[in-house]
Amino acid sequence: MEYVIEMLNITKEFPGIKANDDVTLKVEKGEIHALLGENGAGKSTLMSVLFGLYQPEKGSIKINGEQVAIANPNVANKHGIGMVHQHFKLVENFTVTENIILGIEPMKLFGRVDISTARKKVQEISEKYGLSVDPDAKIEDISVGMQQRVEILKMLYRDAEILIFDEPTAVLTPQEIHELMNIMKQLIKEGKSIILITHKLKEIKMVANHCTILRRGKYIGTVNVTDTSEKEMAEMMVGREVSFKVDKEKAKTGDTILSIKNLNVKNSRGLMAVKDFSLDFKSGEITCIAGIEGNGQTELIEAITGLRKIEEGKIIFDGEEIERESIRNKTNKGIGHIPEDRHKYGLVLDFTLEENFVLQNYYKEPFSKKGILQFEEIKNYSQHLIEDFDVRSGKGGETQARSMSGGNQQKAIIAREVERSPKLLIAAQPTRGLDVGAIEYIHKRLVAERDKGKAVLLMSFEMEEVLNLSDTIAVMYEGEIAGIVEAEKTNENELGLMMSGSSRKKVD
Ligand SMILES: Nc1ncnc2c1ncn2[C@@H]1O[C@H](COP(=O)(O)OP(=O)(O)OP(=O)(O)O)[C@@H](O)[C@H]1O
Ligand SMILES: [Mg+2]
């Protein structure tokens, strides 16, 4: 068998943890090879070793049968390896072309950058692979899906033959995921090889040839995807049976907790994104705001949580108008928020896990007494969250948030917000980037909050999550409500029609 990549017996340690413990990965030329494993299993670490970002303590790497030493990403590039990271690395106020050529700019005489030649090459590559982007657009003005295309173009511009995608679909909408899958197939046709990290078994089934499974840093096995069911792969990665269904009783709906009346909110470009929006969120119920990305869901949630100013309308929480309240006051009154962008609003990356757990209430009892921090209390509280939510990291509560795996950062935010058990819990894409086992647990906890009589506002792009977890679904289309339906009485088709604006429906 001809392998483009052989990673043999790789061991990579961090303080307190063997992120990779004798791991082997062999990728055939021209295949899509999936890498599957729980949050913190060591997937990103293994790929960072291949990309030259980390040096392993043990093991060797062969490219096309020849042993190589990959000292840094430049060496990886020279060997034809490119990587799209879990969190993109683009310069926001540069254009698409500028980002793509960054570091390897073609030069004219007198040291001036030859943008037009670069621009032409970018255009050629984007046409060849069906990756259309506007070469002159600024990164800050384009969607996440487009930014990802820029990352892919960046690899192709450097003639990469082996492409690493670290959870590329976590940040994409279903439509964009579909497009990305097609792009990947096109890349394979052109002879490239792909390593794909994803938590979505469906995607693995759709495009991958082989799947290598890791668990807690160790190699579990490599399977042929066509011969292996989603369930089998899930069990290999988690080490137990996983249920994909959400178990819940019928909701015992109570009083209105949050009432939104005639709300108007503008987006960052100054256009009205939420238009005359009214909706009630009740205790004991999970109400989902569904819709295709960009139909005002994000702006709505930002307005409620205080991250965005409102133009008009009322937000009434627990009988009180809260439009002008500070974020801290909203938190104190009983609003919890699992934000969409975990890096911008969710965690302070330079703080430890412990510090992040008490961000909103460190100055209160029992964490502070007479102005003195109670470290013992904070430590115990943190330990309890780490165990309940299975937050994995090298040094427990003392781990710096930045060094944690993406999924474990997400679990930490959820743990903090759910544990405070706020009257209203706003969960924006709560399970993005989580492994199937973690999703199962988080769904349980959200249902438990509901059953305690809390109101849960769920925002999700995952159809399955929308249908399985919610009680009521409100579909947003162009800033307005296109329909409100009971989750039990609807299906993917009906929701799809409402989301695309081609049908409207209201209950009652
Ligand atoms: N730079 C680092 N410093 C310290 N520990 C690290 C560092 N990078 C990763 N780790 C630890 O190594 C382990 C594996 O992390 P890694 O990011 O590879 O997981 P992953 O499989 O990609 O998980 P996820 O699905 O959540 O992205 C984790 O426990 C993480 O805390
Ligand atoms: Mg990762």
Side-chain angles (χ1 to χ4, degrees):
M1 181 54 61
E2 196 190 338
Y3 294 110
V4 262
I5 294 287
E6 288 164 272
M7 296 185 81
L8 305 169
N9 311 99
I10 301 290
T11 294
K12 172 68 203 159
E13 289 181 46
F14 291 115
I17 195 163
K18 271 190 185 173
N20 292 152
D21 185 359
D22 197 22
V23 173
T24 289
L25 171 73
K26 295 179 180 179
V27 181
E28 288 175 22
K29 190 170 163 49
E31 77 158 327
I32 299 182
H33 196 115
L35 192 53
L36 180 68
E38 289 174 290
N39 299 124
K43 306 176 297 293
S44 295
T45 302
L46 189 67
M47 290 303 101
S48 297
V49 166
L50 183 57
F51 195 55
L53 287 164
Y54 296 139
Q55 295 308 310
E57 277 80 45
K58 284 185 209 149
S60 59
I61 300 176
K62 287 182 184 172
I63 297 179
N64 295 317
E66 275 187 40
Q67 187 147 335
V68 292
I70 306 176
N72 58 53
N74 285 331
V75 176
N77 278 332
K78 279 193 193 112
H79 285 297
I81 300 170
M83 178 160 176
V84 177
H85 294 270
Q86 203 161 352
H87 303 107
F88 302 158
K89 299 183 185 293
L90 298 169
V91 186
E92 293 263 312
N93 58 348
F94 275 25
T95 68
V96 167
T97 306
E98 284 164 351
N99 264 285
I100 291 171
I101 63 175
L102 195 64
I104 51 164
E105 296 88 349
M107 289 299 186
K108 275 191 201 163
L109 277 180
F110 311 115
R112 290 187 43 204
V113 176
D114 185 0
I115 280 281
S116 68
T117 306
R119 210 173 160 281
K120 225 176 109 204
K121 187 170 167 193
V122 170
Q123 232 149 11
E124 277 168 16
I125 304 173
S126 35
E127 271 160 36
K128 183 166 168 191
Y129 294 98
L131 281 159
S132 62
V133 285
D134 172 4
D136 303 316
K138 276 202 178 154
I139 297 300
E140 58 196 5
D141 295 330
I142 62 178
S143 71
V144 172
M146 284 294 157
Q147 292 181 17
Q148 187 174 69
R149 288 186 175 193
V150 177
E151 290 278 13
I152 300 172
L153 284 168
K154 219 172 145 172
M155 297 193 286
L156 297 171
Y157 190 90
R158 287 158 180 73
D159 299 318
E161 288 298 324
I162 299 136
L163 312 177
I164 305 168
F165 287 87
D166 192 350
E167 285 190 52
T169 61
V171 293
L172 300 183
T173 62
Q175 173 62 26
E176 288 170 332
I177 291 174
H178 187 75
E179 286 165 13
L180 177 66
M181 296 289 144
N182 285 335
I183 291 167
M184 286 193 183
K185 285 180 189 158
Q186 184 62 28
L187 288 163
I188 294 303
K189 253 192 224 149
E190 299 285 337
K192 313 276 183 195
S193 310
I194 293 178
I195 303 175
L196 169 66
I197 299 179
T198 176
H199 290 292
K200 299 181 193 163
L201 299 157
K202 236 183 229 142
E203 293 168 5
I204 296 180
K205 278 301 232 184
M206 235 149 58
V207 295
N209 304 92
H210 289 99
C211 176
T212 288
I213 294 141
L214 305 182
R215 193 195 309 153
R216 294 184 184 257
K218 291 202 168 68
Y219 173 81
I220 301 296
T222 300
V223 297
N224 207 321
V225 172
T226 24
D227 309 333
T228 318
S229 70
E230 287 181 33
K231 205 163 171 293
E232 286 167 322
M233 285 191 273
E235 286 179 27
M236 278 180 89
M237 75 180 257
V238 184
R240 63 172 168 90
E241 228 178 280
V242 185
S243 156
F244 294 97
K245 276 264 160 258
V246 181
D247 273 329
K248 63 177 175 23
E249 312 263 297
K250 202 164 165 42
K252 294 192 185 69
T253 306
D255 300 336
T256 296
I257 300 274
L258 176 76
S259 182
I260 296 175
K261 293 195 190 310
N262 309 102
L263 192 70
N264 286 286
V265 185
K266 283 184 180 166
N267 64 17
S268 308
R269 275 173 287 145
L271 304 170
M272 207 57 88
V274 177
K275 300 172 194 157
D276 204 29
F277 184 99
S278 299
L279 189 65
D280 286 349
F281 296 86
K282 301 193 175 93
S283 87
E285 208 178 280
I286 300 179
T287 308
C288 176
I289 301 288
I292 296 168
E293 186 163 16
N295 278 280
Q297 307 95 310
T298 303
E299 289 81 0
L300 173 68
I301 287 178
E302 288 178 348
I304 300 171
T305 52
L307 293 169
R308 182 174 291 274
K309 87 173 199 348
I310 69 171
E311 301 301 315
E312 242 181 293
K314 287 194 172 129
I315 302 174
I316 302 161
F317 174 69
D318 223 7
E320 239 186 291
E321 278 191 38
I322 55 154
E323 303 94 56
R324 320 245 174 274
E325 290 288 356
S326 68
I327 295 183
R328 187 184 260 200
N329 279 345
K330 287 183 183 181
T331 308
N332 284 339
K333 282 180 195 298
I335 299 181
H337 181 205
I338 299 164
E340 208 178 346
D341 188 332
R342 62 182 169 231
H343 277 175
K344 249 191 213 153
Y345 305 116
L347 290 174
V348 181
L349 291 174
D350 290 322
F351 282 12
T352 63
L353 184 52
E354 257 166 35
E355 290 165 337
N356 272 290
F357 278 146
V358 294
L359 270 189
Q360 302 117 321
N361 42 13
Y362 64 89
Y363 59 92
K364 289 192 231 168
E365 297 233 14
F367 306 124
S368 263
K369 278 188 188 143
K370 302 195 176 99
I372 299 167
L373 281 177
Q374 304 295 307
F375 292 107
E376 215 35 52
E377 285 289 342
I378 295 176
K379 191 174 266 335
N380 290 340
Y381 181 69
S382 153
Q383 199 47 41
H384 154 71
L385 289 187
I386 289 173
E387 278 163 26
D388 276 11
F389 288 82
D390 191 20
V391 183
R392 296 182 196 176
S393 63
K395 297 193 291 180
E398 283 160 32
T399 310
Q400 203 190 34
R402 186 183 300 284
S403 80
M404 288 164 55
S405 83
N408 281 296
Q409 291 177 352
Q410 177 76 356
K411 283 202 253 175
I413 297 171
I414 300 176
R416 183 184 67 207
E417 298 303 312
V418 171
E419 189 66 21
R420 291 193 301 120
S421 196
K423 271 188 197 149
L424 169 69
L425 178 59
I426 300 172
Q429 299 212 68
T431 58
R432 177 151 97 181
L434 296 193
D435 67 61
V436 288
I439 291 176
E440 188 188 9
Y441 180 71
I442 299 305
H443 282 170
K444 264 196 202 135
R445 291 295 303 248
L446 292 176
V447 171
E449 285 307 300
R450 178 198 81 157
D451 293 344
K452 278 192 235 161
K454 316 289 176 173
V456 179
L457 188 171
L458 171 73
M459 197 269 267
S460 173
F461 298 123
E462 289 286 329
M463 274 286 197
E464 255 170 70
E465 179 163 81
V466 169
L467 283 163
N468 283 330
L469 189 57
S470 333
D471 300 304
T472 303
I473 304 169
V475 177
M476 273 186 94
Y477 177 71
E478 294 190 340
E480 295 175 287
I481 293 183
I484 302 176
V485 288
E486 281 177 56
E488 273 191 341
K489 295 187 183 153
T490 190
N491 55 46
E492 213 170 316
N493 246 333
E494 187 182 49
L495 286 182
L497 287 172
M498 286 194 280
M499 286 181 181
S500 60
S502 33
S503 99
R504 284 174 180 266
K505 185 169 179 176
K506 287 215 175 175
V507 283
D508 301 324

